Amino acid sequence: MRIDVYTIFPGIFRSPLREGLLGKALERGILDIRIHDIREYAPGRHRQVDDAPFGGGPGMVMKPEPIFEAVLNTLGYGWEELDRLKEEVRVILLTPRGRRMEQSLVRELAEEEHLALICGRYEGVDERVLEHLCTDALSVGDYVLSGGEFAALVVIDAVARLVPGVVGNRESLQEESFSGGLLEYPQYTRPADYRGWRVPEVLLSGNHAAIAEWRRRKAFEWTERHRPDLLRGGGLDPQAWGEGGD
Ligand code: SAM
């Protein structure tokens, strides 16, 4: 999968793309992630990327020209090919005004061959970028970040994990939070007794059916307590989960 990122702070991506799963996937060529500095496509000696908002108000807005130029030039499309670009590349503006990202959308994006992520700063991005260059507007949650770079990293990380070959053990993707409409069950490792805090006995029992049942129940209880909206949306029936002690 190829991902092109557009930012005025390319340095933010250096370390996250060098470490861990992402670093390995890039090294092995499973992912091709290219970071582009929008400022290089800004005209004039000062390479101005922002300006005051029309209609007044606080802060600055990112200008459209450097963003259009950066995307068209780096992806190799002409002005008359904007429609073809949007058919061939998922061009995503990161913005708190966008569709809120969920695992179902992450799965959808992981099926794409080519993503382009545009990172805003200041008060945001001139709306014509969204109207004429982008296919999607995406938010990583109901809060405001200082820049789209952090949101882009969230998108890259979540999507990359689902690209075949990035996560070694595919099984771990099947049982994790959101995969079956529930949050994940609690996990424990050695020591079985730490300062008198014991791991639930069932996990030490070797009884795989009992362990699976305990995990299903815990996943359900946790989801019911912390994210009841997931249960309502997923059509899961609380009564279907058995009663039982630890
Ligand atoms: N004035 C904007 C608003 O109220 O919607 C917020 C601008 S924010 C300070 C600067 C940039 O950070 C945005 O243009 C966007 O790229 C990014 N950003 C902030 N919060 C985000 C979120 N929840 N999801 C995705 N991107 C976000």
Side-chain angles (χ1 to χ4, degrees):
M1 166 182 272
R2 175 169 161 185
I3 306 178
D4 289 81
V5 181
Y6 300 88
T7 170
I8 59 168
F9 292 119
I12 289 177
F13 293 88
R14 261 177 229 133
S15 162
L17 296 184
R18 249 199 331 246
E19 313 276 345
L21 279 180
L22 286 177
K24 281 207 191 77
L26 281 161
E27 230 174 71
R28 289 160 56 205
I30 302 171
L31 296 175
D32 174 6
I33 301 180
R34 305 179 192 189
I35 311 297
H36 307 285
D37 187 350
I38 294 171
R39 207 174 284 282
E40 284 179 17
Y41 298 86
R45 204 158 52 88
H46 297 295
R47 299 210 173 273
Q48 187 185 348
V49 292
D50 60 329
D51 210 331
F54 277 126
M60 301 294 264
V61 174
M62 285 183 75
K63 290 161 69 60
E65 313 95 300
I67 298 177
F68 274 91
E69 291 293 341
V71 173
L72 292 177
N73 277 288
T74 54
L75 302 187
Y77 290 84
W79 280 102
E80 68 292 350
E81 295 175 306
L82 277 171
D83 287 339
R84 189 166 69 83
L85 162 65
K86 286 192 265 184
E87 275 162 28
E88 294 176 353
V89 184
R90 201 81 181 248
V91 186
I92 299 170
L93 176 70
L94 283 321
T95 165
R97 292 167 63 221
R99 171 179 171 191
R100 197 169 55 193
M101 196 165 84
E102 290 179 355
Q103 193 65 10
S104 55
L105 179 58
V106 173
R107 274 186 226 114
E108 187 185 315
L109 295 179
E111 299 287 316
E112 300 282 347
E113 278 177 21
H114 194 171
L115 305 178
L117 306 177
I118 300 174
C119 307
R121 279 271 157 178
Y122 315 120
E123 289 304 318
V125 174
D126 185 291
E127 191 73 2
R128 286 164 289 187
V129 169
L130 181 56
E131 287 169 354
H132 302 289
L133 183 63
C134 295
T135 57
D136 301 74
L138 206 76
S139 163
V140 293
D142 290 346
Y143 43 80
V144 179
L145 301 164
S146 58
E149 291 76 13
F150 309 110
L153 283 167
V154 169
V155 174
I156 291 170
D157 190 74
V159 168
R161 299 179 71 251
L162 302 188
V163 172
V166 173
V167 171
N169 182 358
R170 300 284 296 171
E171 232 174 81
S172 65
L173 298 177
Q174 278 154 25
E175 287 210 358
E176 65 188 2
S177 294
F178 307 111
S179 54
L182 295 176
L183 301 175
E184 199 186 49
Y185 47 80
Q187 301 268 20
Y188 298 87
T189 186
R190 274 180 275 276
D193 187 327
Y194 177 56
R195 301 173 65 93
W197 300 316
R198 283 200 51 80
V199 166
E201 285 307 324
V202 64
L203 298 179
L204 310 175
S205 69
N207 180 338
H208 295 296
I211 292 170
E213 168 54 22
W214 181 87
R215 284 178 167 168
R216 264 197 304 275
R217 190 165 46 76
K218 285 291 170 189
F220 179 78
E221 284 170 6
W222 187 264
T223 309
E224 191 178 39
R225 188 172 339 141
H226 296 283
R227 292 292 306 276
D229 57 303
L230 291 177
L231 298 177
R232 286 194 297 273
L236 286 161
D237 175 10
Q239 304 309 320
W241 297 87
E243 297 289 317
D246 286 346

